[in-house]
C-alpha cells in the first residue's frame, strides 16, 4: 500500500531501515556523548589539517575513478557501434 508514507517507511521487505538503523543509533549516541563531554569541559575536536589533506587525496581518487569509468563507457560504446555496423551489413547483404 503506497498511499501511506508511514507504511512505506516501515515495510519489512525492500526497506533499507533494517541495515541502516543500527548505524544511525550508534552515530546519534556518539554525537550525544561528544556533546556531553564538550559541555563538561572535555574538548575532543579534530584539527582541520587532516581534512584538507584528505580532500586532496579524495579529489585524486575521484578523478581516477571518473577516468576509469569514462574509459569503460567509451569501450562499451565502441563495441555497440561495431555491433550496430555488423547488423546493418548483415541486413543489407
Amino acid at each position: 500500500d503506497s498511499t501511506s508514507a508511514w507504511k512505506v517507511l516501515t515495510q519489512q521487505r525492500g526497506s533499507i531501515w533494517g541495515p541502516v538503523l543500527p548505524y544511525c543509533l550508534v552515530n546519534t549516541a556518539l554525537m550525544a556523548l561528544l556533546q556531553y563531554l564538550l559541555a563538561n569541559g572535555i574538548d575532543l575536536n579534530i584539527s582541520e589539517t587532516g581534512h584538507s589533506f584528505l580532500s586532496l587525496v579524495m579529489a585524486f581518487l575521484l578523478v581516477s575513478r571518473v577516468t576509469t569509468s569514462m574509459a569503460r563507457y567509451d569501450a562499451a560504446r565502441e563495441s555497440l557501434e561495431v555491433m550496430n555496423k555488423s547488423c546493418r551489413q548483415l541486413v543489407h547483404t
Side-chain angles (χ1 to χ4, degrees), residues 20-82:
V20 171
L21 188 61
Y23 293 109
C24 293
L25 295 175
V26 168
N27 191 22
T28 303
L30 181 62
M31 289 307 298
L33 175 66
L34 289 174
Q35 287 298 320
Y36 173 78
L37 291 174
L38 186 61
N40 289 322
I42 301 172
D43 189 12
L44 297 176
N45 285 334
I46 299 172
S47 170
E48 294 179 8
T49 307
H51 289 354
S52 60
F53 174 72
L54 281 179
S55 66
L56 179 65
V57 172
M58 288 300 296
F60 173 74
L61 291 175
L62 181 64
V63 168
S64 299
R65 185 74 175 199
V66 168
T67 303
T68 304
S69 297
M70 278 302 295
R72 291 177 63 195
Y73 172 78
D74 283 340
R77 184 188 52 79
E78 288 172 6
S79 296
L80 190 59
E81 211 172 281
V82 168

Side-chain angles (χ1 to χ4, degrees), residues 75-93:
R77 184 188 52 79
E78 288 172 6
S79 296
L80 190 59
E81 211 172 281
V82 168
M83 184 180 72
N84 192 13
K85 185 178 179 181
S86 298
C87 287
R88 283 183 181 179
Q89 288 176 352
L90 184 63
V91 168
H92 289 311
T93 57

Side-chain angles (χ1 to χ4, degrees), residues 1-2 5-18:
D1 183 25
S2 62
W6 180 251
K7 287 183 180 179
V8 171
L9 287 174
T10 58
Q11 67 186 357
Q12 293 298 319
R13 290 185 53 195
S15 177
I16 195 68
W17 281 104

